[in-house]
Amino acid sequence: MSLWVDKYRPTSLDQMTYHKDISSHLKNLSNSGDLPHLLFYGPSGAGKKTRITATLREIFGPGVEKIKIDQRQFQTPSNRKIDINTISSSYHIEINPSDVGIYDRVVIQDLIKEAAQTQQLSSKATRKFKVIVIHEADSLSKDAQHALRRTMEKYVNNLRVILCCNSTGKIIGPVQSRCLLVRIPAPSVQDIVDGLCGVVAKKEKITVPTELATHIAVTSKRNMRRAVLMLESSYVQQYPFTADQNSSIPLPDWEIAIIKIAKLALEDQSPQQLLKIRGLIYELLSHCIPAQTILKHLAFYWIKSVDNELKTEMAVCAATYEHRLQIGQKAIFHLEAYVAKFMSIYKRFLLDISSI
């Protein structure tokens, strides 16, 4: 038994229900004689990974879906051994080198060289190149991106690279200039409603009220993956759906925990409160919630909650610590420092108001 979000994930470009112009463009590109390096970017839940998988299927056929998960070992110049999980088929390899932190350059160079020098095993391949898909490319270090640029040039005859990221702001110019940029915008509210009512509901043979689907689309912040998960959660909670079910759609546990942290920092600005918040942050990190996600949600909640005089300072503070997260190694240090900085700024503001 699988989740609806995996069960009804489109497997071909023709099955995509929104951004059909992008799907048509990718289909024409896949059927052309030569495929450039690609850079997919857009917000989370817009369908970047789904479109990448569908594009690979369009290029190589259904054989690209026969995948296996391997644990690869790489050796750094200091003789340290690092492990990373890869997903691969006879035609492509998917990696997330940000999992290994500062050693991502070693992974990028070695894996691309190995893939470029290995011939495809399948005799049915219509393309003579392999594809490497790099997820979370905006988390790559600058050294890794420069190494990627050099290897992209060297092995362009028998290798293509597809990058996937949320924003191009952290991708260096030389890498961007060697890729065809494909922007995947977030689906509209109506696109999500059509997907929930016209695809998921029909295949599950259930009735989803348009009002509920619209509420889910807005609450999910136009994130298709999250919207499908919320619909399934509501279905498990109560079916048939009721008129007052809009107000009872549950939030994810990690989001509830982040809201709790934000409220604790607003209630009391003391070392004891900071120690309590640190334990909650540790718990979130131990459950694999990305540090950037924690900081982003805290920043948005606090900027919405504080006085207008503090909004600009809070935005600058969040940007500063987000940058430190990128160049640092221990996420807990920077998140705790960010919370402490917010508490200091907010406490000073409250003391200034009380002295007037």
Side-chain angles (χ1 to χ4, degrees):
M1 183 177 180
S2 58
L3 295 172
W4 290 355
V5 71
D6 298 319
K7 189 176 179 181
Y8 302 119
R9 187 187 301 273
T11 57
S12 67
L13 293 171
D14 293 330
Q15 294 177 3
M16 307 297 292
T17 58
Y18 58 93
H19 302 331
K20 291 185 178 296
D21 53 336
I22 298 177
S23 299
S24 176
H25 179 68
L26 289 173
K27 191 171 183 178
N28 293 333
L29 202 62
S30 302
N31 295 324
S32 64
D34 193 17
L35 181 78
H37 300 300
L38 299 175
L39 172 56
F40 286 78
Y41 68 100
S44 180
K48 300 185 296 296
K49 292 182 181 179
T50 303
R51 274 186 165 77
I52 289 173
T53 303
T55 301
L56 291 174
R57 193 180 193 278
E58 188 70 29
I59 297 170
F60 298 111
V64 80
E65 297 174 358
K66 298 177 181 179
I67 59 174
K68 62 179 180 178
I69 300 176
D70 293 326
Q71 188 175 60
R72 306 289 297 275
Q73 190 174 82
F74 299 90
Q75 190 168 359
T76 67
S78 60
N79 292 327
R80 177 175 178 177
K81 294 181 179 179
I82 53 176
D83 296 323
I84 185 171
N85 292 325
T86 64
I87 300 173
S88 62
S89 70
S90 300
Y91 311 99
H92 83 294
I93 302 174
E94 295 184 42
I95 58 171
N96 190 340
S98 62
D99 293 341
V100 295
I102 59 174
Y103 301 109
D104 52 0
R105 179 183 64 81
V106 177
V107 173
I108 288 291
Q109 284 183 320
D110 291 354
L111 194 63
I112 288 182
K113 287 179 183 177
E114 181 182 330
Q117 295 169 359
T118 304
Q119 295 295 323
Q120 291 182 359
L121 298 177
S122 176
S123 59
K124 299 179 181 179
T126 57
R127 302 291 194 277
K128 299 305 179 183
F129 57 81
K130 272 193 171 184
V131 174
I132 289 189
V133 181
I134 302 177
H135 297 296
E136 297 185 27
D138 48 354
S139 298
L140 289 172
S141 64
K142 290 293 188 291
D143 288 342
Q145 292 190 45
H146 285 296
L148 177 63
R149 173 186 63 83
R150 293 190 292 270
T151 49
M152 284 169 67
E153 292 175 342
K154 186 174 181 180
Y155 301 109
V156 67
N157 291 330
N158 53 350
L159 184 75
R160 297 294 183 274
V161 176
I162 298 180
L163 304 175
C164 180
C165 61
N166 290 341
S167 171
T168 59
K170 297 174 185 175
I171 306 294
I172 61 175
V175 171
Q176 291 190 44
S177 66
R178 285 159 177 79
C179 298
L180 174 66
L181 274 63
V182 182
R183 179 176 177 267
I184 309 296
S188 66
V189 171
Q190 188 58 47
D191 289 334
I192 294 180
V193 171
D194 292 341
L196 297 181
C197 298
V199 179
V200 178
K202 283 185 178 180
K203 291 184 177 180
E204 282 294 319
K205 298 180 180 179
I206 61 175
T207 302
V208 179
T210 305
E211 296 79 10
L212 177 62
T214 303
H215 181 74
I216 289 176
V218 174
T219 306
S220 66
K221 300 177 182 177
R222 295 164 58 193
N223 183 321
M224 179 62 84
R225 178 177 59 252
R226 187 174 177 183
V228 177
L229 288 171
M230 291 174 72
L231 177 64
E232 185 173 8
S233 177
S234 300
Y235 172 78
V236 173
Q237 187 181 52
Q238 181 177 347
Y239 186 80
F241 298 116
T242 59
D244 60 343
Q245 199 160 343
N246 290 2
S247 59
S248 61
I249 297 177
L251 289 173
D253 291 342
W254 61 267
E255 194 166 337
I256 295 173
I258 294 176
I259 292 174
K260 182 180 179 181
I261 291 172
K263 289 182 177 179
L264 288 173
L266 288 168
E267 291 170 1
D268 181 27
Q269 300 79 42
S270 65
Q272 294 80 9
Q273 193 80 322
L274 183 60
L275 184 62
K276 184 177 180 180
I277 289 173
R278 186 185 196 196
L280 294 174
I281 294 175
Y282 258 125
E283 187 175 350
L284 285 170
L285 292 174
S286 67
H287 284 81
C288 300
I289 305 301
Q292 288 82 0
T293 301
I294 299 173
L295 189 145
K296 174 184 172 183
H297 280 75
L298 285 175
F300 284 161
Y301 189 92
W302 284 335
I303 289 174
K304 183 177 65 175
S305 303
V306 299
D307 192 87
N308 288 335
E309 294 182 21
L310 292 179
K311 292 186 184 296
T312 302
E313 187 175 4
M314 291 311 307
V316 172
C317 179
T320 300
Y321 283 95
E322 196 271 342
H323 176 65
R324 292 182 182 180
L325 268 177
Q326 293 293 325
I327 62 176
Q329 292 300 308
K330 291 287 187 179
I332 183 63
F333 293 163
H334 305 291
L335 288 174
E336 187 180 10
Y338 173 57
V339 175
K341 184 66 174 178
F342 166 78
M343 294 171 74
S344 173
I345 294 172
Y346 192 62
K347 185 70 171 180
R348 185 192 65 210
F349 174 75
L350 294 178
L351 290 174
D352 290 344
I353 291 179
S354 62
S355 63
I356 296 176

